[in-house]
Amino acid sequence: MTLTGEEVAHLHEQYVLQPWAKQGAPATPIKRAEGIYFWDYDGNRYADMSSQMVCSNLGHQNKVVVEAIKRQADELCYIAPSFAVEPRGKLAKLLVDIAGADHFQRVFFTLGGSDSNENAIEIARFYTGRPKILSCYRSYHGSTLGSAFASGDWRRFAYEIGGAAPSFIHFLNPSVYEDGFDRTEEDEARCTRQYLRQLEEQIRYEGPETIAAVLMESIVGANGVLIPPKGYMEGVAKLCRDNGILLICDEVMAGFARSGKMFTWQNFDLVPDLITFAKGVTGATVPLGGVIASKEISAFFENHPLPCGLTYSGHPLACAAGVAATQYYLDNDICGHVKQLEGVLKPALEEFVQRHACVGEARCIGLFAALTLVVDKSTRELMAPYHTSNGRMSAIFAELKRRGFYTFGRESNLNVCPPLIITEDELREQLATLDDVLTWADRKFCNA
């Protein structure tokens, strides 16, 4: 029996616990999706300008990936992690080659980003024999216990009931605009020096010999696509190297061509010790994540048992999807396409800064972009300060959705992260819609 849209919505509202939300609120029932679009049961079309949760990198229903899943389902759906199976081994080698086989060697597969970061933390602690994990306040790393403690934004608060976790230490990472700096060469240099000096001091006070790893998003994603000032990431990597601390780059949202590189850390002059990934590895067709380990860490675990395990580690269906999706990025030069469209998206967003009273800053690398929305440009008063809810941002997102432009954001940030297969014409059409809604927001929310 085929359900109506109303019946689908009712089932969701009454029986599904919705993540990060109060329960029982109306939910839009979705019937189908293709390319950069999805449709509800009333036939309304939405352009997916956030790739859902910045995961549908190859658009919806990519035929190459779907066919790979079907072939694997006909052959072998599941086998335990201790057995060798073709898609698992092929995907691991493919990922090592992309990351750099001169430095990396092995992959531990998980089911998603949270447990990728959870297991990277376990690996780092076991390998170094040190307890502490340093991570950023402006960050999100997941919703398992360890990855939630490592997260810096307010979503960690529920996990800290009864007290914050021992050995998880947060430091403040730069947000150039919100910290009062401009994107001039001089200001970026000052910002970098200030934040590296603070981190160096914090490492000294914590005791470098007690710190296993610094865990960082290569570019902060959910908290606003915070592109670091020039030299900052390289400076963090040097502090880690000088103090024998591992560097874990969280590529869960930033990875798989999103920035115009297969891994976003490859935009910087550094090499991490561990890389965590998920989302784009299958284009969100099947849940999959993992940790890519350096040769040194891999060699250590040839003589010590790996302290990690999951029933579905390297699930054959997921790995088959991962092989197909990853090969699709390479065969179709998705990175090149993304860099080409960056040349459309970045100047358009920067123009919005000049023309709209509500746009304080635009940040864009590849098709990984966000706007910071403000009430007053002269004071940089944010549309929705940290951990507040005043309805302005939700009204803007609702107006965008009403006009067929779907995205999300946090606090005062509005993400623009479309599927990487979007065409220039599709991108320009959606930017025109965004432009109109920003004009609406100027009138409705900004100080005269």
Side-chain angles (χ1 to χ4, degrees):
M1 180 182 69
T2 301
L3 300 180
T4 66
E6 290 78 7
E7 289 169 329
V8 171
H10 174 77
L11 289 174
H12 183 92
E13 292 163 20
Q14 295 299 312
Y15 298 105
V16 176
L17 281 170
Q18 176 73 26
W20 310 117
K22 294 179 180 179
Q23 306 308 307
T28 303
I30 302 304
K31 188 167 188 177
R32 66 185 184 93
E34 184 177 352
I36 74 160
Y37 303 107
F38 59 97
W39 288 261
D40 64 22
Y41 277 71
D42 293 325
N44 297 310
R45 189 188 77 172
Y46 305 91
D48 189 355
M49 294 302 288
S50 67
S51 304
Q52 294 300 294
M53 301 179 78
V54 196
C55 55
S56 299
N57 286 12
L58 295 176
H60 296 280
Q61 300 302 111
N62 181 284
K63 289 181 172 57
V64 173
V65 181
V66 171
E67 286 302 317
I69 295 169
K70 291 178 179 178
R71 287 194 302 272
Q72 187 62 43
D74 285 339
E75 184 175 305
L76 176 68
C77 282
Y78 176 75
I79 199 76
S82 57
F83 292 98
V85 61
E86 180 179 332
R88 189 180 292 155
K90 285 178 71 174
L91 181 56
K93 183 180 186 304
L94 195 54
L95 294 173
V96 166
D97 288 345
I98 290 168
D102 55 335
H103 187 80
F104 297 97
Q105 185 176 355
R106 289 189 171 94
V107 180
F108 175 74
F109 287 110
T110 69
L111 288 112
S114 295
D115 48 335
S116 294
N117 287 318
E118 185 84 27
N119 283 281
I121 290 167
E122 290 181 29
I123 290 169
R125 283 174 161 171
F126 195 79
Y127 174 75
T128 62
R130 300 174 177 182
K132 292 179 183 176
I133 301 296
L134 266 62
S135 57
C136 305
Y137 274 113
R138 293 163 170 145
S139 74
Y140 178 71
H141 296 292
S143 58
T144 56
L145 205 57
S147 64
F149 285 138
S151 296
D153 72 29
W154 56 263
R155 284 175 287 184
R156 78 182 192 277
F157 293 167
Y159 297 84
E160 293 179 346
I161 292 173
S167 299
F168 284 89
I169 313 296
H170 292 101
F171 63 94
L172 193 60
N173 49 323
S175 176
V176 175
Y177 179 80
E178 291 189 27
D179 293 341
F181 295 97
D182 293 319
R183 285 284 180 180
T184 63
E185 186 174 333
E186 181 182 356
D187 256 20
E188 286 208 22
R190 286 197 303 116
C191 185
T192 294
R193 286 195 301 271
Q194 174 181 313
Y195 277 93
L196 288 177
R197 185 168 59 248
Q198 290 172 354
L199 178 57
E200 182 178 20
E201 187 175 62
Q202 191 165 359
I203 288 172
R204 187 165 63 248
Y205 274 91
E206 288 294 338
E209 71 282 357
T210 70
I211 301 170
V214 170
L215 169 61
M216 295 184 71
E217 294 169 90
S218 300
I219 287 178
V220 172
N223 282 275
V225 191
L226 301 180
I227 298 174
K230 187 176 180 180
Y232 177 74
M233 291 298 292
E234 290 85 353
V236 173
K238 185 177 187 302
L239 285 174
C240 289
R241 192 166 57 248
D242 291 348
N243 289 284
I245 297 167
L246 299 183
L247 176 61
I248 306 171
C249 279
D250 178 344
E251 291 274 337
V252 171
M253 185 176 286
F256 293 92
R258 177 56 60 183
S259 68
K261 299 280 189 181
M262 282 299 286
F263 290 115
T264 289
W265 63 263
Q266 293 169 329
N267 290 281
F268 308 112
D269 185 16
L270 61 87
V271 180
D273 300 287
L274 295 166
I275 305 164
T276 62
F277 65 89
K279 292 185 184 284
V281 66
T282 68
T285 55
V286 180
L288 182 67
V291 183
I292 306 173
S294 70
K295 285 187 172 181
E296 291 78 9
I297 294 173
S298 296
F300 175 83
F301 287 109
E302 291 174 4
N303 299 304
H304 301 82
L306 184 73
C308 309
L310 295 163
T311 298
Y312 297 123
S313 177
H315 194 287
L317 274 182
C319 286
V323 170
T326 304
Q327 198 63 55
Y328 191 96
Y329 291 111
L330 301 175
D331 292 345
N332 294 276
D333 189 20
I334 298 299
C335 285
H337 179 68
V338 166
K339 291 306 289 183
Q340 180 182 352
L341 288 191
E342 179 189 297
V344 175
L345 179 59
K346 187 173 182 179
L349 297 182
E350 289 173 347
E351 185 185 346
F352 290 168
V353 176
Q354 301 305 315
R355 290 198 296 103
H356 289 291
C358 69
V359 182
E361 186 189 39
R363 298 173 295 280
C364 178
I365 179 170
L367 291 176
F368 202 22
L371 301 174
T372 294
L373 302 189
V374 296
V375 174
D376 190 323
K377 271 189 181 179
S378 64
T379 62
R380 300 193 183 187
E381 180 186 348
L382 299 174
M383 195 72 73
Y386 178 74
H387 202 197
T388 62
S389 178
N390 56 29
R392 290 191 287 246
M393 288 300 294
S394 58
I396 292 169
F397 289 122
E399 183 64 19
L400 282 166
K401 185 180 175 186
R402 190 183 70 80
R403 302 188 191 204
F405 183 116
Y406 173 78
T407 191
F408 74 97
R410 297 186 54 71
E411 267 62 68
S412 297
N413 298 304
L414 189 157
N415 293 344
V416 184
C417 305
L420 307 182
I421 48 87
I422 193 171
T423 67
E424 181 174 340
D425 287 345
E426 289 170 335
L427 180 57
R428 289 188 184 280
E429 179 185 8
Q430 297 309 317
L431 286 171
T433 300
L434 177 58
D435 193 5
D436 289 343
V437 172
L438 293 173
T439 299
W440 171 86
D442 290 340
R443 294 194 301 265
K444 190 169 181 64
F445 297 121
C446 290
N447 295 337

